[in-house]
Amino acid sequence: MSAVPAIAGLELGAIVAERTIVLHRDHLVRYAGASGDFNPIHYRDDAAAGVGLPGVLAHGMLTMGAAVQPVVDWLGGDSGRVLDYQVKFTRPVVVDPREGAEVSITAKAGALEPDAEGGPVARIDLTVTYQDQTVLGKAQVRVRLAADAGAAS
């Protein structure tokens, strides 16, 4: 596990993580099995078309979970440092049967609370896009940081 990032030296607006992921239909099948969400709009083109959708959609919670992973990785892989995570689902992610769906994630320091109760906290704002359109609105993660670089808090 990597060192926990420190609030010291972290500047408002700093990009802390960036990643592009590709969701494929096999990811949807695995997520359906793990979550129990077997709505056919997530795996059958005819079912998606039947309700007026442009294609098979990624589960919103799968997109949400994948979008926070770069932040967890920045935290040294310690998901226990995530205090709160909220998003608004703004647009669907249509998963092409061959190409999948490329989702881009940028995580920036949106607010810093160096004197928060229990230790320093940062709000990390996520920009999550698919085909250059935001798919998760107001995506914010509050995380606990170390006070000083190299600290093992």
Side-chain angles (χ1 to χ4, degrees):
M1 191 174 285
S2 304
V4 175
I7 199 159
L10 181 61
E11 295 181 14
L12 206 57
I15 294 175
V16 300
E18 286 185 288
R19 187 170 301 161
T20 298
I21 60 170
V22 180
L23 294 175
H24 291 283
R25 291 212 177 162
D26 59 329
H27 294 116
L28 308 185
V29 171
R30 289 186 204 133
Y31 184 81
S35 70
D37 180 355
F38 292 102
N39 187 327
I41 65 168
H42 299 300
Y43 60 90
R44 285 185 30 204
D45 289 300
D46 64 325
V51 294
L53 296 171
V56 165
L57 305 182
H59 303 75
M61 295 298 285
L62 171 61
T63 305
M64 182 181 176
V68 78
Q69 188 61 48
V71 176
V72 171
D73 293 345
W74 174 65
L75 294 169
D78 185 356
S79 60
R81 291 188 169 274
V82 174
L83 304 174
D84 185 62
Y85 178 35
Q86 298 181 25
V87 305
K88 290 184 179 182
F89 299 105
T90 58
R91 285 189 173 75
V93 174
V94 179
V95 180
D96 182 85
R98 292 197 179 117
E99 305 297 322
E102 193 173 282
V103 177
S104 297
I105 303 144
T106 302
K108 291 183 181 178
L112 304 174
E113 304 170 44
D115 300 320
E117 185 176 329
V121 170
R123 188 192 78 219
I124 306 300
D125 298 339
L126 300 176
T127 301
V128 182
T129 60
Y130 163 70
Q131 294 184 331
D132 297 323
Q133 294 191 319
T134 300
V135 294
L136 298 179
K138 201 170 182 175
Q140 298 179 332
V141 190
R142 290 186 73 242
V143 299
R144 174 91 53 215
L145 300 177
D148 299 313
S153 62

